[in-house]
Amino acid sequence: VAINNANYVEELQAKDLVLTRQTQDLALLNNIGESLTTSTEPEQVLQNTLSLVISHLNMEAGEIFVLNQTTNIFELAMHRGVAAEAFWTRNKFAVGDGIIGQVGQTGRSVTGFDLEKDEKFLHSAIITAGFRQIAAFPLMSRGRVIGVLAVFTQSTTQITDRDQRIITSI
């Protein structure tokens, strides 16, 4: 009976953890939805969304690149978090160039778990600042990539599939 009760308690704790995470994810989506309804300024919506995503994922930094339709180059539109000077050292990526350009070209998210060894990551100042991981996601409109949202962490704890799914849904 004691073993069964212990197993039951472990099972309940695991289910509670899943429900807590799902509630946190829904709260993030709700906060972003609220941001969309309270501001008509695209820049303000992007700033709020980026800040909420960084906070939700416990990341140290994030940035949004927007595609310049004339030059076909992704230009850094905003940065949130630590080490801003490292991020602004490279603020443009051509389509297909580096992880940002690759996400922009393919329309698929990319996660890099070891930036020092990742040949596609072309931003050495960020590595020097101590960042180890990136998760980059396409920003889509009407089936076309219009930008890239990237989040960074100095942690060695890998970005989870759950984290990637919630950002993709945003």
Side-chain angles (χ1 to χ4, degrees):
V1 170
I3 292 172
N4 283 340
N5 284 344
N7 289 337
Y8 183 65
V9 167
E10 284 181 19
E11 200 175 297
L12 284 176
Q13 289 173 334
K15 287 181 181 179
D16 182 54
L17 182 61
V18 169
L19 286 173
T20 300
R21 287 180 179 164
Q22 289 174 341
T23 301
Q24 291 169 343
D25 291 348
L26 289 173
L28 172 66
L29 294 174
N30 184 57
N31 289 339
I32 289 172
E34 191 175 295
S35 173
L36 289 169
T37 61
T38 59
S39 177
T40 57
E41 296 297 320
E43 185 174 325
Q44 184 63 43
V45 171
L46 290 175
Q47 286 178 5
N48 291 345
T49 300
L50 185 56
S51 295
L52 288 166
V53 167
I54 291 169
S55 174
H56 180 77
L57 298 178
N58 295 318
M59 299 289 183
E60 289 83 13
E63 53 188 8
I64 293 180
F65 286 84
V66 177
L67 180 63
N68 181 323
Q69 299 289 334
T70 306
T71 62
N72 213 28
I73 291 178
F74 288 94
E75 299 174 353
L76 184 57
M78 67 185 58
H79 167 83
R80 291 286 174 269
V82 300
E85 63 284 347
F87 286 89
W88 285 98
T89 59
R90 175 131 191 212
N91 58 4
K92 295 181 182 184
F93 289 90
V95 172
D97 188 24
I99 290 177
I100 301 300
Q102 180 184 359
V103 170
Q105 183 176 39
T106 65
R108 284 178 265 169
S109 59
V110 170
T111 304
F113 295 111
D114 188 354
L115 295 180
E116 281 188 289
K117 296 179 182 174
D118 193 332
E119 294 176 4
K120 295 176 297 219
F121 190 71
L122 303 176
H123 211 310
S124 61
I126 293 174
I127 295 169
T128 303
F131 288 90
R132 296 185 171 145
Q133 295 183 66
I134 181 177
F137 303 88
L139 299 173
M140 308 288 287
S141 177
R142 296 185 178 122
R144 291 185 21 223
V145 177
I146 60 167
V148 175
L149 181 147
V151 291
F152 299 83
T153 184
Q154 296 169 331
S155 171
T156 56
T157 303
Q158 287 196 354
I159 299 164
T160 66
D161 289 340
R162 173 186 151 262
D163 293 338
Q164 292 179 46
R165 283 192 304 273
I166 191 72
I167 303 305
T168 300
S169 69
I170 293 169

